[in-house]
Amino acid sequence: MTHAVLPGMVERKRGAVVNIGSGAASIMPSTPLYTVYAATKAYADQFSRSLYVEYKNKGVDVQCQAPWYVATKMASIRQASLFAPSPETYARAAVRYIGYEPRCTPYWAHALVWFLFTVVPEPIADRYVLGVSLDIRDKGRAKDARKKAM
Ligand SMILES: NC(=O)c1ccc[n+]([C@@H]2O[C@H](COP(=O)([O-])OP(=O)(O)OC[C@H]3O[C@@H](n4cnc5c(N)ncnc54)[C@H](OP(=O)(O)O)[C@@H]3O)[C@@H](O)[C@H]2O)c1
């Protein structure tokens, strides 16, 4: 996509490329059991950061946004909450942020989570996220087992 749209933007001397990374790569120190997902998001992060430097003098703004949870199908979150906003709430914050920092977390409650992860010692954060991930996996396996038994 970037390859397809950049030449036109350079010609017009204006444009924005916004890639959606993830807190899994940019906020949390580790994401056990989500390793491949987090690794692809780390790619999007550095890809965007480097393109930002290459293209900022050509009038094209490249940004990687790193949300934490958003209540979508992919996240399997039905009910929006403070830390998992609805797509509409996230999108409003996201659009307002275009043109500012190249790497950002536009929704304020996600930015708060980001800050908290910077002050908690990594071994403690690692233990916490591993516990959460194992819990999610156990619940998923139990759900699968219930479906098979029906
Ligand atoms: N939700 C979160 O908590 C969260 C957190 C951090 C980052 N993100 C990132 O945000 C982005 C959007 O995710 P979302 O949460 O908005 O999920 P979503 O509501 O489930 O939307 C995913 C979208 O991607 C499309 N899609 C999936 N596989 C595709 C494929 N192989 N080819 C083309 N389109 C495909 C889906 O199309 P269909 O509707 O046709 O299936 C859907 O429109 C993703 O990059 C995700 O990693 C999400």
Side-chain angles (χ1 to χ4, degrees):
M1 277 302 295
T2 304
H3 191 255
V5 300
L6 264 179
M9 292 182 179
V10 170
E11 207 181 304
R12 293 188 294 276
K13 297 188 175 58
R14 65 191 293 260
V17 174
V18 180
N19 291 319
I20 304 297
S22 173
S26 313
I27 296 180
M28 291 150 83
S30 66
T31 34
L33 309 191
Y34 293 90
T35 52
V36 174
Y37 175 74
T40 64
K41 292 303 189 182
Y43 169 95
D45 183 89
Q46 192 66 354
F47 176 80
S48 311
R49 187 67 185 83
S50 301
L51 272 187
Y52 163 79
V53 176
E54 279 182 49
Y55 284 89
K56 68 177 176 180
N57 292 333
K58 297 184 167 80
V60 181
D61 190 71
V62 183
Q63 183 180 66
C64 182
Q65 300 198 349
W68 206 44
Y69 290 113
V70 177
T72 66
K73 188 172 139 197
M74 189 203 85
S76 300
I77 302 174
R78 287 202 189 97
Q79 191 69 43
S81 63
L82 182 65
F83 290 104
S86 67
E88 292 76 15
T89 301
Y90 178 78
R92 268 195 297 275
V95 169
R96 273 202 298 268
Y97 233 92
I98 294 173
Y100 293 100
E101 296 155 87
R103 179 188 279 136
C104 63
T105 295
Y107 175 64
W108 71 271
H110 290 169
L112 182 64
V113 173
W114 192 335
F115 169 74
L116 291 176
F117 271 112
T118 63
V119 294
V120 174
E122 283 195 359
I124 295 176
D126 284 347
R127 208 171 331 133
Y128 168 73
V129 291
L130 179 61
V132 171
S133 301
L134 286 170
D135 191 45
I136 293 171
R137 185 169 71 178
D138 287 348
K139 283 183 182 144
R141 283 180 172 168
K143 195 174 161 190
D144 286 349
R146 276 197 304 278
K147 271 190 201 157
K148 269 191 197 148
M150 277 164 51

